[in-house]
Coordinates of all heavy atoms in Angstrom, one line a residue:
M1316 N -6.3 2.2 0.4 CA -7.6 1.9 1.1 C -8.3 0.8 0.4 O -8.4 0.9 -0.8 CB -8.5 3.1 1.2 CG -9.7 3.0 2.1 SD -11.2 2.8 1.1 CE -11.3 4.4 0.3
R1317 N -8.7 -0.3 1.1 CA -9.2 -1.4 0.4 C -10.6 -1.8 0.9 O -10.9 -1.6 2.1 CB -8.3 -2.6 0.7 CG -6.9 -2.4 0.1 CD -6.0 -3.4 0.5 NE -4.7 -3.1 -0.2 CZ -3.9 -3.9 -0.8 NH1 -4.2 -5.2 -0.8 NH2 -2.8 -3.5 -1.3
K1318 N -11.5 -2.2 -0.1 CA -12.8 -2.7 0.3 C -12.8 -4.2 0.0 O -12.3 -4.6 -1.1 CB -13.8 -2.0 -0.5 CG -13.9 -0.5 -0.1 CD -15.0 0.2 -0.8 CE -15.0 1.7 -0.4 NZ -16.1 2.4 -1.2
Y1319 N -13.3 -5.0 0.9 CA -13.3 -6.4 0.7 C -14.7 -7.0 0.5 O -15.7 -6.4 0.9 CB -12.7 -7.1 1.9 CG -11.3 -6.8 2.1 CD1 -10.8 -5.8 2.9 CD2 -10.3 -7.6 1.4 CE1 -9.4 -5.4 3.0 CE2 -8.9 -7.4 1.6 CZ -8.6 -6.3 2.3 OH -7.2 -6.0 2.4
E1320 N -14.8 -8.1 -0.3 CA -16.0 -8.9 -0.4 C -16.5 -9.2 0.9 O -15.8 -9.7 1.8 CB -15.6 -10.1 -1.2 CG -16.9 -11.0 -1.6 CD -17.4 -10.6 -3.0 OE1 -16.6 -10.4 -3.9 OE2 -18.6 -10.5 -3.0
E1321 N -17.8 -9.0 1.1 CA -18.3 -9.3 2.5 C -18.2 -10.7 3.0 O -17.9 -10.9 4.2 CB -19.8 -8.9 2.5 CG -20.1 -7.5 2.7 CD -21.5 -7.1 2.8 OE1 -22.3 -7.8 3.4 OE2 -21.9 -6.0 2.3
K1322 N -18.3 -11.6 2.1 CA -18.3 -13.1 2.5 C -16.9 -13.6 2.7 O -16.6 -14.4 3.5 CB -19.1 -14.0 1.5 CG -20.5 -13.7 1.6 CD -21.3 -14.3 0.4 CE -22.6 -13.8 0.3 NZ -23.2 -14.0 -1.0
K1323 N -16.0 -13.1 1.8 CA -14.5 -13.5 1.9 C -13.7 -12.4 2.3 O -13.5 -11.4 1.6 CB -14.1 -14.0 0.5 CG -15.0 -15.1 0.0 CD -14.5 -15.4 -1.5 CE -15.6 -16.1 -2.2 NZ -15.4 -16.1 -3.7
E1324 N -13.1 -12.5 3.5 CA -12.3 -11.4 4.0 C -11.1 -11.1 3.2 O -10.6 -9.9 3.1 CB -11.8 -11.7 5.4 CG -12.8 -11.2 6.5 CD -12.3 -11.5 7.9 OE1 -11.0 -11.6 8.1 OE2 -13.1 -11.8 8.8
N1325 N -10.5 -12.1 2.6 CA -9.2 -11.8 1.8 C -9.5 -11.4 0.3 O -8.6 -11.1 -0.4 CB -8.3 -13.0 1.8 CG -7.8 -13.2 3.3 OD1 -7.7 -12.2 4.0 ND2 -7.6 -14.4 3.6
Q1326 N -10.8 -11.4 -0.1 CA -11.1 -11.1 -1.5 C -11.3 -9.6 -1.6 O -12.4 -9.1 -1.3 CB -12.4 -11.9 -1.9 CG -12.8 -11.7 -3.3 CD -12.0 -12.7 -4.2 OE1 -11.4 -13.6 -3.7 NE2 -12.3 -12.6 -5.5
V1327 N -10.3 -8.9 -2.1 CA -10.4 -7.5 -2.3 C -11.2 -7.2 -3.5 O -11.1 -7.8 -4.6 CB -9.0 -6.8 -2.4 CG1 -8.2 -7.3 -3.7 CG2 -9.0 -5.4 -2.2
V1328 N -12.1 -6.2 -3.4 CA -13.0 -5.8 -4.6 C -12.6 -4.4 -5.1 O -12.8 -4.2 -6.3 CB -14.4 -6.0 -4.3 CG1 -14.9 -7.4 -4.2 CG2 -14.9 -5.2 -3.1
E1329 N -12.2 -3.6 -4.2 CA -11.9 -2.2 -4.6 C -10.6 -1.7 -3.9 O -10.5 -2.0 -2.7 CB -13.0 -1.2 -4.4 CG -14.2 -1.4 -5.3 CD -15.3 -0.4 -4.9 OE1 -15.1 0.5 -4.2 OE2 -16.4 -0.6 -5.5
V1330 N -9.7 -1.1 -4.6 CA -8.5 -0.5 -4.0 C -8.3 0.9 -4.4 O -8.5 1.2 -5.7 CB -7.2 -1.3 -4.3 CG1 -6.0 -0.8 -3.6 CG2 -7.3 -2.8 -3.9
Y1331 N -8.1 1.8 -3.5 CA -8.0 3.2 -3.9 C -6.6 3.7 -3.4 O -6.2 3.3 -2.3 CB -9.1 4.1 -3.2 CG -10.4 3.8 -3.7 CD1 -11.2 2.8 -3.1 CD2 -11.0 4.5 -4.8 CE1 -12.5 2.5 -3.6 CE2 -12.3 4.2 -5.2 CZ -13.0 3.3 -4.6 OH -14.3 3.0 -5.1
C1332 N -6.0 4.6 -4.1 CA -4.8 5.3 -3.7 C -5.2 6.3 -2.6 O -6.0 7.2 -2.9 CB -4.1 5.9 -4.9 SG -2.7 6.9 -4.3
N1333 N -4.7 6.2 -1.4 CA -5.0 7.1 -0.4 C -4.6 8.6 -0.7 O -5.1 9.5 -0.2 CB -4.4 6.6 1.0 CG -5.2 5.5 1.5 OD1 -5.1 4.4 1.0 ND2 -5.9 5.8 2.6
C1334 N -3.5 8.6 -1.5 CA -3.0 10.0 -1.8 C -3.8 10.8 -2.8 O -4.2 11.9 -2.5 CB -1.5 9.9 -2.2 SG -0.7 11.4 -2.4
C1335 N -4.0 10.2 -4.0 CA -4.7 10.9 -5.1 C -6.2 10.5 -5.2 O -6.9 11.1 -5.9 CB -4.0 10.8 -6.4 SG -4.1 9.1 -7.0
G1336 N -6.6 9.4 -4.6 CA -8.0 8.9 -4.6 C -8.3 8.1 -5.7 O -9.4 7.6 -6.0
K1337 N -7.3 7.8 -6.7 CA -7.5 7.0 -7.9 C -7.9 5.6 -7.5 O -7.3 5.0 -6.6 CB -6.2 6.9 -8.7 CG -6.3 6.1 -9.9 CD -4.9 6.1 -10.6 CE -4.7 4.7 -11.3 NZ -3.3 4.6 -11.8
K1338 N -8.9 5.1 -8.3 CA -9.4 3.7 -8.1 C -8.4 2.7 -8.9 O -8.3 3.0 -10.1 CB -10.8 3.5 -8.5 CG -11.4 2.2 -8.2 CD -12.9 2.1 -8.7 CE -13.5 0.7 -8.4 NZ -14.8 0.7 -8.8
L1339 N -7.8 1.8 -8.3 CA -6.9 1.0 -9.0 C -7.7 -0.2 -9.7 O -8.7 -0.6 -9.2 CB -5.8 0.4 -8.1 CG -5.0 1.4 -7.3 CD1 -3.9 0.8 -6.4 CD2 -4.4 2.4 -8.2
A1340 N -7.1 -0.8 -10.7 CA -7.7 -1.8 -11.4 C -7.6 -3.1 -10.6 O -6.5 -3.5 -10.3 CB -7.1 -2.0 -12.8
V1341 N -8.8 -3.8 -10.3 CA -8.8 -5.0 -9.6 C -9.7 -6.0 -10.5 O -10.7 -5.6 -10.9 CB -9.5 -4.9 -8.2 CG1 -9.7 -6.2 -7.5 CG2 -8.7 -3.9 -7.4
K1342 N -9.1 -7.2 -10.7 CA -9.8 -8.2 -11.4 C -9.7 -9.6 -10.7 O -8.6 -10.0 -10.4 CB -9.2 -8.4 -12.8 CG -10.0 -9.2 -13.8 CD -9.4 -9.3 -15.1 CE -10.2 -10.3 -15.9 NZ -9.4 -10.8 -17.1
D1343 N -10.9 -10.1 -10.4 CA -11.0 -11.4 -9.6 C -10.1 -11.4 -8.3 O -9.4 -12.3 -8.1 CB -10.5 -12.6 -10.6 CG -11.4 -12.7 -11.7 OD1 -12.6 -12.4 -11.7 OD2 -10.9 -13.1 -12.8
G1344 N -10.2 -10.3 -7.7 CA -9.5 -10.2 -6.4 C -8.0 -9.9 -6.5 O -7.3 -9.8 -5.5
M1345 N -7.5 -9.7 -7.7 CA -6.1 -9.4 -7.8 C -6.0 -7.9 -8.3 O -6.7 -7.4 -9.3 CB -5.5 -10.3 -8.9 CG -4.8 -11.4 -8.2 SD -3.9 -12.5 -9.4 CE -2.8 -11.3 -10.2
I1346 N -5.0 -7.2 -7.8 CA -4.7 -5.8 -8.1 C -3.9 -5.9 -9.4 O -2.8 -6.4 -9.5 CB -4.0 -5.0 -7.0 CG1 -4.9 -5.1 -5.8 CG2 -3.8 -3.6 -7.5 CD1 -4.2 -4.7 -4.5
M1347 N -4.4 -5.3 -10.5 CA -3.8 -5.4 -11.8 C -2.8 -4.3 -12.2 O -2.5 -4.1 -13.4 CB -4.9 -5.5 -12.9 CG -5.9 -6.7 -12.7 SD -5.1 -8.2 -12.5 CE -4.8 -8.7 -14.2
E1348 N -2.4 -3.5 -11.2 CA -1.4 -2.5 -11.5 C -0.5 -2.3 -10.2 O -0.8 -2.9 -9.2 CB -2.0 -1.2 -11.9 CG -3.0 -0.6 -11.0 CD -3.7 0.7 -11.6 OE1 -3.0 1.6 -11.7 OE2 -4.9 0.6 -11.8
G1349 N 0.5 -1.5 -10.4 CA 1.5 -1.2 -9.3 C 0.8 -0.6 -8.1 O 0.1 0.4 -8.3
V1350 N 1.1 -1.1 -6.9 CA 0.5 -0.5 -5.7 C 1.5 -0.7 -4.5 O 2.2 -1.7 -4.5 CB -0.8 -1.1 -5.3 CG1 -0.8 -2.6 -5.0 CG2 -1.5 -0.4 -4.1
L1351 N 1.6 0.2 -3.7 CA 2.4 0.0 -2.5 C 1.5 0.0 -1.3 O 0.9 1.0 -0.8 CB 3.4 1.3 -2.3 CG 4.2 1.3 -1.0 CD1 5.2 0.1 -1.0 CD2 4.8 2.6 -0.7
P1352 N 1.3 -1.2 -0.7 CA 0.5 -1.3 0.5 C 1.4 -1.0 1.7 O 2.5 -1.6 1.9 CB 0.0 -2.8 0.5 CG 1.0 -3.6 -0.4 CD 1.8 -2.6 -1.2
V1353 N 1.0 -0.1 2.6 CA 1.8 0.3 3.7 C 1.0 -0.1 5.0 O -0.2 0.3 5.1 CB 2.1 1.8 3.7 CG1 2.9 2.2 4.9 CG2 2.9 2.1 2.4
T1354 N 1.7 -0.7 5.9 CA 1.2 -1.0 7.2 C 2.2 -0.5 8.3 O 3.4 -0.9 8.2 CB 0.9 -2.4 7.5 OG1 0.0 -2.9 6.5 CG2 0.3 -2.7 8.9
A1355 N 1.9 0.4 9.1 CA 2.9 0.9 10.1 C 2.2 0.8 11.5 O 1.1 1.2 11.7 CB 3.2 2.4 9.8
F1356 N 3.0 0.3 12.4 CA 2.7 0.3 13.7 C 3.5 1.2 14.6 O 4.8 1.1 14.5 CB 2.8 -1.1 14.3 CG 2.4 -1.1 15.8 CD1 1.1 -1.0 16.2 CD2 3.4 -1.3 16.8 CE1 0.8 -0.9 17.6 CE2 3.1 -1.3 18.1 CZ 1.8 -1.1 18.6
W1357 N 2.9 2.2 15.2 CA 3.6 3.2 15.9 C 3.7 2.8 17.4 O 2.7 2.7 18.1 CB 2.9 4.6 15.8 CG 2.9 5.0 14.4 CD1 2.0 4.9 13.5 CD2 4.0 5.8 13.7 NE1 2.3 5.4 12.3 CE2 3.5 6.0 12.3 CE3 5.2 6.2 14.1 CZ2 4.3 6.6 11.4 CZ3 6.0 6.8 13.1 CH2 5.6 7.1 11.8
G1358 N 4.9 2.6 17.8 CA 5.2 2.1 19.1 C 5.2 3.2 20.2 O 4.9 4.3 20.0
Y1359 N 5.6 2.7 21.4 CA 5.7 3.5 22.6 C 6.5 4.8 22.5 O 6.1 5.8 23.1 CB 6.2 2.7 23.8 CG 5.3 1.6 24.2 CD1 5.7 0.3 24.2 CD2 3.9 1.8 24.5 CE1 4.9 -0.7 24.6 CE2 3.1 0.8 24.9 CZ 3.5 -0.5 24.9 OH 2.7 -1.5 25.3
F1360 N 7.5 4.8 21.7 CA 8.4 5.9 21.7 C 8.1 6.9 20.6 O 8.8 7.9 20.4 CB 9.9 5.5 21.6 CG 10.3 4.6 22.8 CD1 10.5 3.2 22.6 CD2 10.5 5.2 24.0 CE1 10.9 2.4 23.6 CE2 10.8 4.3 25.1 CZ 11.0 3.0 24.9
S1361 N 7.0 6.6 19.9 CA 6.5 7.6 18.9 C 5.4 8.6 19.6 O 5.1 8.3 20.8 CB 5.9 6.9 17.7 OG 4.6 6.4 18.1
E1362 N 5.0 9.4 18.8 CA 3.9 10.3 19.3 C 2.6 9.8 18.9 O 1.6 10.5 19.2 CB 4.2 11.8 18.8 CG 5.4 12.3 19.4 CD 5.7 13.8 18.9 OE1 4.8 14.3 18.3 OE2 6.8 14.2 19.3
K1363 N 2.5 8.6 18.3 CA 1.2 8.0 18.0 C 1.1 6.7 18.7 O 0.6 5.7 18.2 CB 1.2 7.7 16.5 CG 1.3 9.0 15.6 CD 1.5 8.6 14.2 CE 2.1 9.7 13.3 NZ 3.3 10.3 13.8
D1364 N 1.5 6.7 20.0 CA 1.5 5.5 20.8 C 0.4 4.4 20.5 O -0.7 4.7 20.9 CB 1.4 6.0 22.3 CG 1.7 5.0 23.3 OD1 2.2 3.9 22.9 OD2 1.6 5.3 24.4
G1365 N 0.9 3.3 20.0 CA 0.0 2.2 19.8 C -0.9 2.3 18.6 O -1.8 1.4 18.4
E1366 N -0.8 3.3 17.8 CA -1.6 3.4 16.5 C -1.1 2.5 15.4 O 0.1 2.4 15.2 CB -1.7 4.8 16.1 CG -2.5 5.7 17.0 CD -2.6 7.2 16.5 OE1 -2.5 7.4 15.2 OE2 -2.8 8.1 17.3
H1367 N -2.1 1.9 14.7 CA -1.8 1.1 13.5 C -2.2 1.8 12.3 O -3.5 2.2 12.3 CB -2.6 -0.2 13.7 CG -1.9 -1.4 13.4 ND1 -1.6 -2.5 14.2 CD2 -1.3 -1.8 12.1 CE1 -0.9 -3.4 13.6 NE2 -0.8 -3.0 12.3
H1368 N -1.4 2.1 11.4 CA -1.8 2.9 10.2 C -1.7 2.0 9.0 O -0.6 1.3 8.8 CB -1.0 4.1 10.0 CG -1.1 5.2 11.0 ND1 -0.6 6.5 10.9 CD2 -1.8 5.2 12.2 CE1 -0.9 7.2 12.0 NE2 -1.6 6.4 12.8
T1369 N -2.7 2.0 8.1 CA -2.6 1.3 6.8 C -3.0 2.2 5.7 O -3.9 3.1 5.9 CB -3.4 0.0 6.7 OG1 -4.8 0.4 7.0 CG2 -3.0 -1.0 7.8
F1370 N -2.3 2.2 4.6 CA -2.8 2.9 3.4 C -2.2 2.2 2.1 O -1.2 1.5 2.2 CB -2.5 4.4 3.5 CG -1.0 4.7 3.6 CD1 -0.2 4.9 2.4 CD2 -0.4 4.8 4.8 CE1 1.2 5.3 2.6 CE2 1.0 5.2 5.0 CZ 1.8 5.4 3.8
D1371 N -2.7 2.6 1.0 CA -2.2 2.1 -0.3 C -1.8 3.4 -1.1 O -2.5 4.4 -1.1 CB -3.2 1.4 -1.1 CG -3.5 0.0 -0.4 OD1 -2.7 -0.8 -0.4 OD2 -4.6 -0.2 0.2
L1372 N -0.7 3.3 -1.9 CA -0.3 4.3 -2.8 C -0.2 3.8 -4.2 O 0.3 2.6 -4.4 CB 1.1 4.8 -2.4 CG 1.2 5.8 -1.3 CD1 2.7 6.3 -1.2 CD2 0.2 7.0 -1.4
C1373 N -0.7 4.5 -5.2 CA -0.5 4.1 -6.6 C 0.9 4.3 -7.0 O 1.7 5.0 -6.3 CB -1.6 4.8 -7.5 SG -1.1 6.5 -7.8
E1374 N 1.3 3.7 -8.1 CA 2.7 3.8 -8.5 C 3.1 5.2 -8.8 O 4.2 5.7 -8.5 CB 2.9 2.9 -9.7 CG 4.4 2.6 -10.0 CD 4.6 1.6 -11.1 OE1 3.6 1.0 -11.6 OE2 5.8 1.3 -11.4
S1375 N 2.2 6.0 -9.4 CA 2.5 7.4 -9.7 C 2.8 8.2 -8.4 O 3.7 9.0 -8.3 CB 1.3 8.0 -10.5 OG 1.3 9.3 -10.5
C1376 N 1.9 8.1 -7.4 CA 2.1 8.7 -6.1 C 3.4 8.3 -5.4 O 4.1 9.1 -4.8 CB 0.9 8.6 -5.2 SG -0.5 9.6 -5.8
Y1377 N 3.7 7.0 -5.5 CA 4.9 6.5 -5.0 C 6.1 7.1 -5.6 O 7.0 7.5 -4.9 CB 4.9 4.9 -5.2 CG 6.3 4.3 -4.8 CD1 6.6 4.0 -3.5 CD2 7.2 4.0 -5.8 CE1 7.9 3.5 -3.2 CE2 8.5 3.5 -5.6 CZ 8.7 3.2 -4.2 OH 10.0 2.6 -3.9
D1378 N 6.1 7.2 -7.0 CA 7.2 7.8 -7.6 C 7.4 9.3 -7.2 O 8.6 9.7 -7.0 CB 7.0 7.8 -9.2 CG 7.1 6.3 -9.7 OD1 7.8 5.5 -9.1 OD2 6.7 6.1 -10.9
K1379 N 6.4 10.0 -7.1 CA 6.4 11.4 -6.6 C 7.0 11.5 -5.2 O 7.8 12.3 -4.9 CB 5.1 12.1 -6.7 CG 4.6 12.5 -8.1 CD 3.3 13.1 -8.0 CE 2.5 12.9 -9.3 NZ 1.1 13.0 -9.2
W1380 N 6.6 10.6 -4.3 CA 6.9 10.6 -3.0 C 8.5 10.3 -2.8 O 9.2 11.0 -2.2 CB 6.2 9.5 -2.2 CG 6.4 9.4 -0.7 CD1 6.7 10.4 0.1 CD2 6.4 8.2 0.1 NE1 6.9 9.9 1.4 CE2 6.7 8.6 1.4 CE3 6.2 6.8 -0.2 CZ2 6.7 7.7 2.4 CZ3 6.2 5.9 0.8 CH2 6.5 6.3 2.1
I1381 N 8.9 9.2 -3.5 CA 10.4 8.9 -3.4 C 11.3 9.9 -4.1 O 12.5 9.9 -3.8 CB 10.7 7.4 -3.8 CG1 10.5 7.2 -5.3 CG2 9.9 6.4 -3.0 CD1 11.0 5.9 -5.8
A1382 N 10.7 10.6 -5.1 CA 11.5 11.6 -5.8 C 12.0 12.7 -4.8 O 13.0 13.4 -5.0 CB 10.8 12.3 -6.9
G1383 N 11.3 12.9 -3.7 CA 11.6 13.9 -2.7 C 12.6 13.3 -1.6 O 12.9 14.1 -0.7
F1384 N 12.9 12.1 -1.7 CA 13.8 11.5 -0.6 C 15.3 12.0 -0.8 O 15.7 12.2 -1.9 CB 13.9 10.0 -0.8 CG 12.7 9.2 -0.3 CD1 11.5 9.8 0.0 CD2 12.8 7.8 -0.3 CE1 10.5 9.0 0.4 CE2 11.7 7.0 0.1 CZ 10.6 7.6 0.6
Q1385 N 15.9 12.3 0.3 CA 17.3 12.8 0.3 C 18.3 11.6 0.0 O 19.3 11.8 -0.7 CB 17.7 13.3 1.7 CG 16.9 14.6 2.1 CD 17.2 15.8 1.1 OE1 18.3 16.1 0.8 NE2 16.1 16.3 0.6
I1386 N 17.8 10.5 0.4 CA 18.6 9.2 0.1 C 17.7 8.3 -0.8 O 16.6 8.0 -0.3 CB 19.0 8.5 1.4 CG1 19.8 9.4 2.3 CG2 19.7 7.2 1.1 CD1 20.1 8.9 3.7
P1387 N 18.2 8.0 -2.0 CA 17.3 7.2 -2.9 C 17.0 5.8 -2.3 O 17.7 5.2 -1.5 CB 18.2 7.1 -4.1 CG 19.5 7.7 -3.9 CD 19.5 8.3 -2.5
V1388 N 15.9 5.3 -2.8 CA 15.5 3.9 -2.3 C 16.5 2.9 -2.9 O 17.2 3.2 -3.9 CB 14.1 3.5 -2.9 CG1 13.0 4.4 -2.3 CG2 14.0 3.5 -4.4
E1389 N 16.7 1.8 -2.2 CA 17.5 0.7 -2.7 C 16.8 -0.1 -3.7 O 15.6 -0.5 -3.3 CB 18.0 -0.1 -1.5 CG 19.0 0.7 -0.6 CD 19.5 -0.1 0.6 OE1 19.6 -1.4 0.5 OE2 19.7 0.5 1.6
K1390 N 17.4 -0.4 -4.8 CA 16.7 -1.2 -5.8 C 17.4 -2.5 -6.0 O 18.6 -2.6 -6.0 CB 16.6 -0.4 -7.1 CG 15.7 0.8 -7.1 CD 15.7 1.5 -8.4 CE 14.9 2.8 -8.3 NZ 14.9 3.6 -9.6
K1391 N 16.5 -3.6 -6.2 CA 17.1 -4.9 -6.4 C 16.1 -5.5 -7.4 O 14.8 -5.4 -7.2 CB 17.1 -5.7 -5.1 CG 17.9 -7.0 -5.1 CD 18.0 -7.5 -3.7 CE 16.9 -8.6 -3.5 NZ 17.0 -9.2 -2.2
I1392 N 16.5 -6.2 -8.4 CA 15.7 -6.9 -9.3 C 15.4 -8.3 -8.9 O 16.3 -9.1 -8.6 CB 16.3 -7.0 -10.7 CG1 16.7 -5.6 -11.2 CG2 15.3 -7.6 -11.7 CD1 15.6 -4.6 -11.5
E1393 N 14.0 -8.7 -8.8 CA 13.6 -10.1 -8.4 C 13.6 -10.8 -9.7 O 12.9 -10.4 -10.6 CB 12.3 -10.1 -7.8 CG 12.2 -9.7 -6.3 CD 12.9 -10.6 -5.4 OE1 13.0 -11.7 -5.6 OE2 13.5 -10.0 -4.4
N1394 N 14.3 -11.9 -9.8 CA 14.2 -12.8 -11.0 C 13.0 -13.7 -11.0 O 12.4 -14.0 -12.0 CB 15.4 -13.6 -11.1 CG 16.6 -12.7 -11.4 OD1 16.5 -11.8 -12.2 ND2 17.8 -13.1 -10.8
E1395 N 12.5 -14.0 -9.8 CA 11.4 -15.0 -9.7 C 10.2 -14.2 -9.1 O 10.2 -13.7 -8.0 CB 11.7 -16.1 -8.7 CG 12.8 -17.0 -9.1 CD 12.4 -18.0 -10.1 OE1 11.3 -18.5 -10.1 OE2 13.2 -18.3 -11.0
M1396 N 9.2 -14.0 -10.0 CA 8.0 -13.2 -9.5 C 6.8 -14.2 -9.5 O 6.6 -15.0 -10.5 CB 7.7 -12.1 -10.4 CG 8.8 -11.0 -10.2 SD 8.5 -9.4 -10.8 CE 6.8 -9.0 -10.8
L1397 N 6.0 -14.2 -8.4 CA 4.9 -15.1 -8.4 C 3.7 -14.6 -9.2 O 3.5 -13.4 -9.2 CB 4.5 -15.3 -6.9 CG 5.5 -16.0 -6.0 CD1 5.0 -16.1 -4.6 CD2 5.7 -17.4 -6.5
Ligands
ZN874 ZN1 -2.1 8.0 -6.3

């Protein structure tokens, strides 16, 4: 869950993990720790017809979530990080 600077739409000021409620570290509009931003659009064949869902997960909640997966996540190392 993100709160933005009123004057600048893209300037994030606060980010919270939707799962545990932890406030993530943000400095000058940049998130200074691991976060998984999720945006899901539920289409016609779902039971959430047309709903748009967004949430953020901290790294710790992400790790707990994927630990329960039957099939592990695919991992690839990026050599170039911006
Ligand atoms: Zn969390």
Side-chain angles (χ1 to χ4, degrees):
M1316 188 255 296
R1317 297 171 181 226
K1318 294 182 181 176
Y1319 292 92
E1320 184 92 43
E1321 278 184 35
K1322 292 167 194 161
K1323 304 174 200 164
E1324 269 181 33
N1325 295 327
Q1326 184 84 7
V1327 69
V1328 287
E1329 290 180 8
V1330 181
Y1331 295 86
C1332 172
N1333 285 72
C1334 185
C1335 70
K1337 175 184 152 188
K1338 185 177 180 181
L1339 303 183
V1341 175
K1342 190 179 173 197
D1343 299 327
M1345 263 186 57
I1346 303 166
M1347 306 303 284
E1348 57 185 295
V1350 63
L1351 173 71
V1353 176
T1354 301
F1356 177 71
W1357 297 94
Y1359 293 123
F1360 300 107
S1361 74
E1362 294 180 8
K1363 300 170 195 59
D1364 195 2
E1366 290 182 23
H1367 223 118
H1368 293 190
T1369 59
F1370 61 90
D1371 290 290
L1372 282 185
C1373 72
E1374 194 168 0
S1375 160
C1376 288
Y1377 171 79
D1378 288 341
K1379 285 180 207 156
W1380 184 34
I1381 67 167
F1384 284 10
Q1385 295 300 309
I1386 299 168
V1388 298
E1389 290 178 32
K1390 294 182 184 176
K1391 192 173 98 178
I1392 305 291
E1393 282 301 321
N1394 292 323
E1395 299 282 326
M1396 295 197 21
L1397 295 175

